[in-house]
Amino acid sequence: QPCWSEYLTTRIEQNMIVSCTCPISECRAQPTTAFICSIVSSEEIIAKYEKALLRGYVECCSNLTWCTNPQGCDQIILKDGLGYGAACSKCSWISCFNCSFPEAHYPASCSHMSHMTCAKCNHGFCWRCLKPWKPTHKDYYNCSAMVSKAAWQEKRFQDYNERCTLHHHAREFATSLRNRVSSISDMPKIRTLTFVLDACKVLEQAQKVLAYTCVYSYYSQDTESMEIVEQQTESLELHTNAL
């Protein structure tokens, strides 16, 4: 029993318990949950084992995934039927299940978000020539396929990138403001501030849409539809700034 306990504990701590088999090389039998619980006495190790089982189950189910909130969330989400408007029931983070980008990015498409960096392995590459980004090819504008338009494209990219960054900062400010208002509203003798909290949530969503609209606009090739998009974006910016 001490040998089994040490063996199973090591496999659990190394996160290899799901594929664990009998230590005898000729035997491929896997220890059952009941057997593991009867051998391992540490509650902490058993808790790690149960988490490993849960992770393995989620990874095996194509319709399940973990919430992608970068701040951390242990909620399991059902993919079926979820669209851009669906949010995690625990932290309200809105995920995209069609690509590996950590959040929903409407109106920018999934292809827009993966032109420059693979969201799964962080490999940087040029989406025009598919060459890796190196010191001599660190961005789209140094690509040999676009030399003649490099200067114009660089200025255009900088403009959209600055706008996108500005909207993300504004979104972070709205989130911070909502958190501060929430702490105030919890204090006694303070009248309800629900309307302010709702306004902050609208600001967060609006700034998020504006940020990804910059990505969409930058990559869009349809000049006719872009006139409408730019008009709608300008209108949304005016109303957002007013709010």
Side-chain angles (χ1 to χ4, degrees):
Q1 182 168 332
C3 294
W4 265 107
S5 178
E6 183 177 349
Y7 172 68
L8 293 173
T9 298
T10 301
R11 298 286 292 193
I12 293 172
E13 290 181 336
Q14 294 178 348
N15 196 28
M16 300 173 63
I17 190 63
V18 175
S19 58
C20 177
T21 59
C22 176
I24 300 177
S25 58
E26 294 81 10
C27 181
R28 307 309 301 168
Q30 291 184 306
T32 64
T33 298
F35 178 75
I36 293 174
C37 292
S38 66
I39 295 294
V40 179
S41 59
S42 171
E43 294 183 1
E44 181 181 355
I45 298 299
I46 291 297
K48 289 183 179 180
Y49 168 63
E50 292 175 346
K51 288 182 179 179
L53 287 182
L54 182 60
R55 284 196 303 269
Y57 177 74
V58 173
E59 291 172 2
C60 290
C61 295
S62 60
N63 65 332
L64 295 179
T65 187
W66 297 98
C67 174
T68 58
N69 190 334
Q71 301 300 319
C73 179
D74 58 359
Q75 186 76 352
I76 299 172
I77 301 176
L78 180 67
K79 291 183 181 180
D80 291 351
L82 293 184
Y84 287 114
C88 172
S89 60
K90 184 174 182 179
C91 69
S92 300
W93 183 261
I94 305 177
S95 304
C96 177
F97 300 125
N98 295 320
C99 70
S100 296
F101 197 72
E103 70 172 343
H105 42 73
Y106 182 83
S109 68
C110 293
S111 60
H112 289 159
M113 305 310 299
S114 60
H115 279 162
M116 297 180 182
T117 304
C118 175
K120 185 174 183 179
C121 68
N122 292 323
H123 171 66
F125 63 96
C126 171
W127 68 276
R128 281 284 180 175
C129 65
L130 302 181
K131 293 180 180 178
W133 273 341
K134 297 179 180 180
T136 57
H137 192 185
K138 61 183 178 181
D139 57 36
Y140 171 80
Y141 310 100
N142 289 330
C143 177
S144 58
M146 297 296 291
V147 172
S148 61
K149 297 183 179 180
W152 177 79
Q153 285 281 27
E154 182 171 7
K155 179 63 170 64
R156 182 170 179 267
F157 172 80
Q158 289 176 349
D159 290 342
Y160 277 109
N161 186 57
E162 288 176 2
R163 288 170 56 189
C164 183
T165 302
L166 180 65
H167 290 307
H168 276 305
H169 287 330
R171 176 187 173 190
E172 292 173 358
F173 170 78
T175 302
S176 175
L177 180 61
R178 176 166 60 86
N179 292 334
R180 293 201 302 270
V181 173
S182 295
S183 63
I184 294 173
S185 62
D186 290 339
M187 295 176 63
K189 299 182 180 179
I190 298 294
R191 67 188 182 88
T192 178
L193 295 175
T194 303
F195 71 100
V196 181
L197 293 174
D198 291 341
C200 290
K201 292 178 181 178
V202 172
L203 278 177
E204 290 178 65
Q205 184 64 23
Q207 294 291 2
K208 175 184 175 182
V209 171
L210 286 170
Y212 289 122
T213 297
C214 293
V215 180
Y216 174 84
S217 298
Y218 175 74
Y219 287 111
S220 179
Q221 303 294 321
D222 190 343
T223 54
E224 292 186 5
S225 65
M226 278 312 303
E227 292 182 4
I228 300 176
V229 172
E230 292 292 348
Q231 291 175 0
Q232 295 290 340
T233 301
E234 183 178 355
S235 176
L236 179 57
E237 283 184 315
L238 289 174
H239 285 85
T240 302
N241 290 335
L243 179 59

